[in-house]
Amino acid sequence: RLKCNNGGGIERTFSNTLMTISLNAIGMHIPDHEVKRHEFFGTYGVARDITDRKRAEEVISYQAYHDILTDLPNRMLFKDRLGLAVIQAKRKLTELAVMFVDLDRFKLVNDTLGHVKGDELLQQVALRLKDCLRRGDTLARQGGDEFTIVLPELRDRQDAKAIADKFLESLHQPFDLDGHEVHISASIGIAIYPGDGETIDELLRHADIAMYQVKALGKNGHSFYHNSMLDVSHQKIALEQSLRKALEQNELEMYYQPQVDVATGRIIGAEGLMRWNHPQRGLLSAGEFLPFAEDNGLMLPISDWMLGALCRDLLLWNAAGGENIRLSLNLSPQYLDRGDFFEKMRGALTRYGISPAQIEVEITENICIRNPQYAIDQLNKLCQLGVSVAIDDFGTGYSSLSYLHRFPIHTIKIDQSFVKEIHDEQGHYPVILAIISIARGLGLHLVAEGVETDVQARYLQANGCTTMQGYFYHRPISLPNFINVLQLERGDQLEPPRPHALHAVPHHMTAIQA
Ligand code: C2E
Ligand code: CA
Ligand code: CA
């Protein structure tokens, strides 16, 4: 505060404002030669208003501790708050909870609707989560679609459970992103101080592990950390490491699941499904390890391997008389995303002398969401080459119908989840009927997947779907077994034709299984 030296006797009025200044001042002296001293007579100084600089510094330090998108504390501030809460809890002998919240399917929304909408969704999620909390709780964004929460001064675990339930319920309401209705859910892991850990890092790590457990068990839920989960997460890390080795050590193998035309009872195609002969854990199916591959950048080398393996196997099955049997391969979105899929495919077919007409690629509806035009171009080139395209898991992804017009499609595969619903041959299953009529209307080939019972097969056939794939006919089988099946079938041709394949228990089923 500066005051005026009211020397002149003139009254002056000042308005007082408080501001931040930087001040520098120099004493002024008159040299006094007699006493050889300088006599002080005043101060000369400059006060600079640095309000703007101060404000900028505050913004910078705010940004260093907050997430710009959601305005929530970031991971640094979170750790700081958690640290304080732990000290308090130790002193007051109370418990506290750390939660790890990870949105399910966020990536899909991001890929489908774009990053701008994805960001908007994160902002809306942040607001909803915040609304569920008390004052004194800290909600932070850890990065991506991950949020962390500290609930200090917990009365008991039930409090944490109640908040987690509240989170899930509030996220359950659909989100409106400029007219797009979006549904998401979350997986929540909870660790309690001091039982589940006494340090910041331990608590966070254990909440994270509990969250992964929820993901693994089907998402959309919450779970408290438990020591037994450590084994699971160690297993996961071990799986990841050994998957890298599996490729080098030739532990992967393609299995084939026949597709049967029930009108004739004959195999008309087979889908290649990857298997891993794990040295300790035995035969693992694709669903057990490919998701890890997707998350760890292993999908590209694995897909490269798959192309080669399929071609080599196809030569063998052709030699066994299967030239008329189409091979369907699953195309990972990541593989299609990378520039050279088409070239690789064409290269492999040429190298092995395989006719493109014998190949079908199965894609899911989510395959071309990141870079649709590019994916469509690739698929078009494939079609020109003579390879056909099937939509896998039809009806379960985003915007199924709009894709049907965007690139050439030859086949749609009715997803297993719809087939599972069929329990009664006389029943009415509108989704199945709708898919069948779409296929008919567009002149597409139709395959029903996951057919497990006689009832399902009859219902599908009665309503016009005649190509089927599922355990009722064959499980996925190794190449030698598949070749056996083909040869058995060729042998059959020499016998008098059987009346109707569908009504008999498929004869290969018991003889040859995976
Ligand atoms: P998908 O393409 O939908 O494959 C069908 C899955 O259902 C396979 O699981 C198959 O074994 C299983 N299945 C077949 N018939 C029945 C049935 O009657 N009942 C039941 N409950 N299940 C049946 P799998 O082999 O674990 O594959 C899971 C997914 O992994 C596949 O789903 C596919 O998306 C992917 N995948 C499999 N092999 C490959 C591959 O070589 N490359 C790529 N990129 N993806 C693959
Ligand atoms: Ca498939
Ligand atoms: Ca499928």
PDB file of all heavy atoms in Angstrom, residues 457-472:
ATOM      1  N   ALA A 457     -32.010 -74.975 -35.327  1.00  0.00           N
ATOM      2  CA  ALA A 457     -31.787 -75.297 -36.730  1.00  0.00           C
ATOM      3  C   ALA A 457     -33.105 -75.366 -37.490  1.00  0.00           C
ATOM      4  O   ALA A 457     -33.245 -74.801 -38.580  1.00  0.00           O
ATOM      5  CB  ALA A 457     -31.034 -76.614 -36.843  1.00  0.00           C
ATOM      6  N   ARG A 458     -34.090 -76.030 -36.904  1.00  0.00           N
ATOM      7  CA  ARG A 458     -35.379 -76.161 -37.599  1.00  0.00           C
ATOM      8  C   ARG A 458     -36.059 -74.813 -37.790  1.00  0.00           C
ATOM      9  O   ARG A 458     -36.592 -74.516 -38.855  1.00  0.00           O
ATOM     10  CB  ARG A 458     -36.330 -77.038 -36.784  1.00  0.00           C
ATOM     11  CG  ARG A 458     -36.032 -78.513 -36.848  1.00  0.00           C
ATOM     12  CD  ARG A 458     -36.890 -79.168 -35.781  1.00  0.00           C
ATOM     13  NE  ARG A 458     -36.446 -80.502 -35.467  1.00  0.00           N
ATOM     14  CZ  ARG A 458     -36.891 -81.591 -36.093  1.00  0.00           C
ATOM     15  NH1 ARG A 458     -37.764 -81.482 -37.061  1.00  0.00           N
ATOM     16  NH2 ARG A 458     -36.438 -82.774 -35.739  1.00  0.00           N
ATOM     17  N   TYR A 459     -36.027 -73.998 -36.731  1.00  0.00           N
ATOM     18  CA  TYR A 459     -36.687 -72.697 -36.827  1.00  0.00           C
ATOM     19  C   TYR A 459     -36.043 -71.876 -37.945  1.00  0.00           C
ATOM     20  O   TYR A 459     -36.715 -71.289 -38.776  1.00  0.00           O
ATOM     21  CB  TYR A 459     -36.594 -71.943 -35.497  1.00  0.00           C
ATOM     22  CG  TYR A 459     -37.254 -70.594 -35.544  1.00  0.00           C
ATOM     23  CD1 TYR A 459     -38.628 -70.460 -35.324  1.00  0.00           C
ATOM     24  CD2 TYR A 459     -36.524 -69.437 -35.842  1.00  0.00           C
ATOM     25  CE1 TYR A 459     -39.247 -69.223 -35.383  1.00  0.00           C
ATOM     26  CE2 TYR A 459     -37.132 -68.198 -35.905  1.00  0.00           C
ATOM     27  CZ  TYR A 459     -38.495 -68.093 -35.670  1.00  0.00           C
ATOM     28  OH  TYR A 459     -39.105 -66.859 -35.746  1.00  0.00           O
ATOM     29  N   LEU A 460     -34.704 -71.865 -37.957  1.00  0.00           N
ATOM     30  CA  LEU A 460     -33.992 -71.065 -38.949  1.00  0.00           C
ATOM     31  C   LEU A 460     -34.302 -71.568 -40.353  1.00  0.00           C
ATOM     32  O   LEU A 460     -34.587 -70.798 -41.268  1.00  0.00           O
ATOM     33  CB  LEU A 460     -32.487 -71.114 -38.677  1.00  0.00           C
ATOM     34  CG  LEU A 460     -32.037 -70.309 -37.452  1.00  0.00           C
ATOM     35  CD1 LEU A 460     -30.675 -70.756 -36.964  1.00  0.00           C
ATOM     36  CD2 LEU A 460     -32.015 -68.813 -37.797  1.00  0.00           C
ATOM     37  N   GLN A 461     -34.268 -72.870 -40.509  1.00  0.00           N
ATOM     38  CA  GLN A 461     -34.499 -73.419 -41.836  1.00  0.00           C
ATOM     39  C   GLN A 461     -35.928 -73.133 -42.291  1.00  0.00           C
ATOM     40  O   GLN A 461     -36.158 -72.732 -43.434  1.00  0.00           O
ATOM     41  CB  GLN A 461     -34.237 -74.921 -41.870  1.00  0.00           C
ATOM     42  CG  GLN A 461     -34.234 -75.434 -43.306  1.00  0.00           C
ATOM     43  CD  GLN A 461     -34.085 -76.949 -43.422  1.00  0.00           C
ATOM     44  OE1 GLN A 461     -34.198 -77.665 -42.427  1.00  0.00           O
ATOM     45  NE2 GLN A 461     -33.837 -77.412 -44.630  1.00  0.00           N
ATOM     46  N   ALA A 462     -36.882 -73.296 -41.369  1.00  0.00           N
ATOM     47  CA  ALA A 462     -38.276 -73.070 -41.725  1.00  0.00           C
ATOM     48  C   ALA A 462     -38.499 -71.631 -42.175  1.00  0.00           C
ATOM     49  O   ALA A 462     -39.380 -71.344 -42.972  1.00  0.00           O
ATOM     50  CB  ALA A 462     -39.181 -73.394 -40.538  1.00  0.00           C
ATOM     51  N   ASN A 463     -37.657 -70.719 -41.654  1.00  0.00           N
ATOM     52  CA  ASN A 463     -37.849 -69.321 -42.026  1.00  0.00           C
ATOM     53  C   ASN A 463     -36.896 -68.845 -43.120  1.00  0.00           C
ATOM     54  O   ASN A 463     -36.796 -67.654 -43.383  1.00  0.00           O
ATOM     55  CB  ASN A 463     -37.751 -68.433 -40.785  1.00  0.00           C
ATOM     56  CG  ASN A 463     -38.973 -68.586 -39.912  1.00  0.00           C
ATOM     57  OD1 ASN A 463     -40.065 -68.137 -40.269  1.00  0.00           O
ATOM     58  ND2 ASN A 463     -38.815 -69.273 -38.794  1.00  0.00           N
ATOM     59  N   GLY A 464     -36.181 -69.772 -43.696  1.00  0.00           N
ATOM     60  CA  GLY A 464     -35.456 -69.418 -44.908  1.00  0.00           C
ATOM     61  C   GLY A 464     -33.965 -69.216 -44.745  1.00  0.00           C
ATOM     62  O   GLY A 464     -33.308 -68.740 -45.667  1.00  0.00           O
ATOM     63  N   CYS A 465     -33.407 -69.548 -43.579  1.00  0.00           N
ATOM     64  CA  CYS A 465     -31.957 -69.465 -43.465  1.00  0.00           C
ATOM     65  C   CYS A 465     -31.408 -70.884 -43.525  1.00  0.00           C
ATOM     66  O   CYS A 465     -31.694 -71.702 -42.647  1.00  0.00           O
ATOM     67  CB  CYS A 465     -31.556 -68.805 -42.154  1.00  0.00           C
ATOM     68  SG  CYS A 465     -29.782 -68.883 -41.873  1.00  0.00           S
ATOM     69  N   THR A 466     -30.610 -71.168 -44.532  1.00  0.00           N
ATOM     70  CA  THR A 466     -30.222 -72.562 -44.717  1.00  0.00           C
ATOM     71  C   THR A 466     -28.735 -72.853 -44.499  1.00  0.00           C
ATOM     72  O   THR A 466     -28.327 -73.997 -44.515  1.00  0.00           O
ATOM     73  CB  THR A 466     -30.608 -73.061 -46.128  1.00  0.00           C
ATOM     74  OG1 THR A 466     -30.040 -72.168 -47.065  1.00  0.00           O
ATOM     75  CG2 THR A 466     -32.115 -73.115 -46.303  1.00  0.00           C
ATOM     76  N   THR A 467     -27.935 -71.806 -44.326  1.00  0.00           N
ATOM     77  CA  THR A 467     -26.517 -72.086 -44.052  1.00  0.00           C
ATOM     78  C   THR A 467     -26.258 -71.884 -42.561  1.00  0.00           C
ATOM     79  O   THR A 467     -26.601 -70.839 -42.013  1.00  0.00           O
ATOM     80  CB  THR A 467     -25.593 -71.168 -44.862  1.00  0.00           C
ATOM     81  OG1 THR A 467     -25.978 -71.232 -46.221  1.00  0.00           O
ATOM     82  CG2 THR A 467     -24.145 -71.601 -44.715  1.00  0.00           C
ATOM     83  N   MET A 468     -25.676 -72.882 -41.925  1.00  0.00           N
ATOM     84  CA  MET A 468     -25.530 -72.810 -40.479  1.00  0.00           C
ATOM     85  C   MET A 468     -24.147 -73.217 -40.025  1.00  0.00           C
ATOM     86  O   MET A 468     -23.489 -74.061 -40.607  1.00  0.00           O
ATOM     87  CB  MET A 468     -26.543 -73.726 -39.804  1.00  0.00           C
ATOM     88  CG  MET A 468     -27.922 -73.433 -40.307  1.00  0.00           C
ATOM     89  SD  MET A 468     -29.182 -73.943 -39.220  1.00  0.00           S
ATOM     90  CE  MET A 468     -30.568 -73.684 -40.352  1.00  0.00           C
ATOM     91  N   GLN A 469     -23.798 -72.601 -38.912  1.00  0.00           N
ATOM     92  CA  GLN A 469     -22.497 -72.842 -38.308  1.00  0.00           C
ATOM     93  C   GLN A 469     -22.746 -72.911 -36.807  1.00  0.00           C
ATOM     94  O   GLN A 469     -23.413 -72.050 -36.254  1.00  0.00           O
ATOM     95  CB  GLN A 469     -21.583 -71.656 -38.658  1.00  0.00           C
ATOM     96  CG  GLN A 469     -20.202 -71.752 -38.104  1.00  0.00           C
ATOM     97  CD  GLN A 469     -19.385 -70.479 -38.425  1.00  0.00           C
ATOM     98  OE1 GLN A 469     -19.749 -69.669 -39.270  1.00  0.00           O
ATOM     99  NE2 GLN A 469     -18.286 -70.319 -37.718  1.00  0.00           N
ATOM    100  N   GLY A 470     -22.241 -73.940 -36.172  1.00  0.00           N
ATOM    101  CA  GLY A 470     -22.453 -74.008 -34.725  1.00  0.00           C
ATOM    102  C   GLY A 470     -22.139 -75.393 -34.195  1.00  0.00           C
ATOM    103  O   GLY A 470     -21.943 -76.344 -34.959  1.00  0.00           O
ATOM    104  N   TYR A 471     -22.097 -75.500 -32.879  1.00  0.00           N
ATOM    105  CA  TYR A 471     -21.734 -76.750 -32.234  1.00  0.00           C
ATOM    106  C   TYR A 471     -22.668 -77.890 -32.620  1.00  0.00           C
ATOM    107  O   TYR A 471     -22.290 -79.058 -32.557  1.00  0.00           O
ATOM    108  CB  TYR A 471     -21.741 -76.599 -30.706  1.00  0.00           C
ATOM    109  CG  TYR A 471     -20.699 -75.649 -30.160  1.00  0.00           C
ATOM    110  CD1 TYR A 471     -20.732 -75.262 -28.819  1.00  0.00           C
ATOM    111  CD2 TYR A 471     -19.674 -75.155 -30.971  1.00  0.00           C
ATOM    112  CE1 TYR A 471     -19.781 -74.391 -28.307  1.00  0.00           C
ATOM    113  CE2 TYR A 471     -18.734 -74.286 -30.460  1.00  0.00           C
ATOM    114  CZ  TYR A 471     -18.782 -73.908 -29.136  1.00  0.00           C
ATOM    115  OH  TYR A 471     -17.843 -73.052 -28.624  1.00  0.00           O
ATOM    116  N   PHE A 472     -23.898 -77.560 -32.990  1.00  0.00           N
ATOM    117  CA  PHE A 472     -24.836 -78.614 -33.361  1.00  0.00           C
ATOM    118  C   PHE A 472     -24.305 -79.409 -34.563  1.00  0.00           C
ATOM    119  O   PHE A 472     -24.541 -80.601 -34.683  1.00  0.00           O
ATOM    120  CB  PHE A 472     -26.200 -78.000 -33.696  1.00  0.00           C
ATOM    121  CG  PHE A 472     -27.247 -79.018 -34.061  1.00  0.00           C
ATOM    122  CD1 PHE A 472     -27.619 -79.995 -33.146  1.00  0.00           C
ATOM    123  CD2 PHE A 472     -27.847 -79.014 -35.314  1.00  0.00           C
ATOM    124  CE1 PHE A 472     -28.581 -80.944 -33.474  1.00  0.00           C
ATOM    125  CE2 PHE A 472     -28.801 -79.962 -35.639  1.00  0.00           C
ATOM    126  CZ  PHE A 472     -29.173 -80.926 -34.722  1.00  0.00           C
TER     127      PHE A 472
END
